Amino acid sequence: DGIPSFGNRAATAAAMDHTTGFLYVIGTGGRVLHIIDATAPAAPVVVSKVTFDSQIDGYPTAVSLCSSDGMSTLAVSFQREGLSINGRVRFYRAEQALLTKLYNNDVALQGNDPVSIAFATGCQELVVVIQGQWFVLNDVVFQDPQPTIEFITFSSFSNPTLNDLTIENSILVADKIRQVTECGDGCGCNGQDTSSTVRVRDMEPRQVTVNSNNIAFITFTKNNAIASLDLNLGFIDRELDIRSI
């Protein structure tokens, strides 16, 4: 709100519109989006604030902006409470402090917890990383949702379409990708088990970025791995090249 303070959970991630000098900052815990006029970098000004309802909208988790043909498109991903509710992505036309929804409805994802998003070159596709982070429910039940990498293709003239990429267990075993958890038999994450349901679920992609050649790079922080993906290829031809680091 323009008043410096600690602990208000208002700055989780940001995206810059270099064509206008405006900055869009989301706060996950605060369920807020601040729009900042940063045309004067030494004296940025908060010019607008958007708040989100935890039950209707969810919690904003990632933000990305892309400019093409004189139009800037802002994407914001949301996580909802509870594993039974899938995550979503909302698209806006960004005109400095004015945000206009491009579609009436958000795009429903396959997974629950989108943690990073990035536009492909040309602004007609968005890469979404679903972490599938493990946790213990009620101190008893171990939950380890399977991660996914999803692609939203869209334009101003048609409804978005969603595709996803399957992470192959054979690649993870062959490249000796590190598993995160070793919690013993019976909870589905034994580090010695190389079965598909365990290996794939144990992967936790964390960040995605796309370079000028339209190659996506995805980090798997806890697995000590990084992957590349050629977005110039059609969906059926895309393969994840993942390596340990």
Side-chain angles (χ1 to χ4, degrees):
D1 294 319
I3 302 174
S5 62
F6 293 101
N8 59 7
R9 301 174 294 175
T12 305
M16 184 75 178
D17 189 344
H18 294 283
T19 65
T20 65
F22 273 64
L23 184 67
Y24 303 87
V25 183
I26 62 164
T28 301
R31 305 186 310 277
V32 66
L33 165 65
H34 284 100
I35 303 175
I36 300 173
D37 183 351
T39 53
V45 178
V46 176
V47 296
S48 184
K49 173 184 175 182
V50 180
T51 56
F52 303 108
D53 184 278
S54 61
Q55 299 298 317
I56 298 174
D57 304 300
Y59 295 83
T61 58
V63 61
S64 185
L65 186 139
C66 190
S67 297
S68 179
D69 298 327
M71 186 179 81
S72 295
T73 303
L74 184 75
V76 180
S77 62
F78 294 88
Q79 181 177 1
R80 304 289 296 281
E81 293 181 346
L83 282 175
S84 61
I85 305 177
N86 290 4
R88 299 187 298 177
V89 172
R90 183 174 301 169
F91 291 95
Y92 297 94
R93 174 174 291 182
E95 299 173 284
Q96 297 184 341
L98 177 64
L99 294 182
T100 306
K101 288 178 63 175
L102 286 180
Y103 308 100
N104 291 328
N105 299 317
D106 298 340
V107 179
L109 301 169
Q110 300 285 348
N112 169 262
D113 57 341
V115 292
S116 183
I117 59 178
F119 280 99
T121 57
C123 307
Q124 298 298 302
E125 182 178 358
L126 185 77
V127 184
V128 183
V129 167
I130 308 291
Q131 184 175 8
Q133 184 174 6
W134 69 269
F135 62 95
V136 177
L137 183 64
N138 296 330
D139 297 321
V140 177
V141 181
F142 183 88
Q143 297 286 343
D144 192 6
Q146 182 165 323
T148 59
I149 300 169
E150 305 183 22
F151 311 95
I152 302 174
T153 306
F154 66 96
S155 71
S156 301
F157 311 103
S158 61
N159 291 325
T161 57
L162 182 70
N163 292 275
D164 66 288
L165 178 72
T166 300
I167 301 176
E168 298 293 342
N169 179 65
S170 58
I171 297 176
L172 305 180
V173 175
D175 291 338
K176 299 180 180 180
I177 304 302
R178 175 181 179 270
Q179 289 188 264
V180 177
T181 52
E182 295 186 25
C183 57
D185 295 331
C187 64
C189 63
N190 188 340
Q192 304 304 313
D193 194 335
T194 58
S195 65
S196 175
T197 56
V198 173
R199 277 277 180 177
V200 174
R201 274 172 34 204
D202 197 50
M203 297 302 294
E204 291 190 8
R206 191 64 183 87
Q207 293 287 340
V208 59
T209 188
V210 180
N211 69 9
S212 58
N213 294 320
N214 216 24
I215 306 297
F217 294 91
I218 302 167
T219 59
F220 296 77
T221 308
K222 295 181 181 179
N223 306 95
N224 292 345
I226 188 170
S228 62
L229 186 66
D230 190 347
L231 301 180
N232 298 296
L233 300 175
F235 295 114
I236 61 173
D237 296 321
R238 293 179 181 180
E239 294 182 359
L240 197 67
D241 183 5
I242 184 168
R243 306 291 176 90
S244 293
I245 55 175

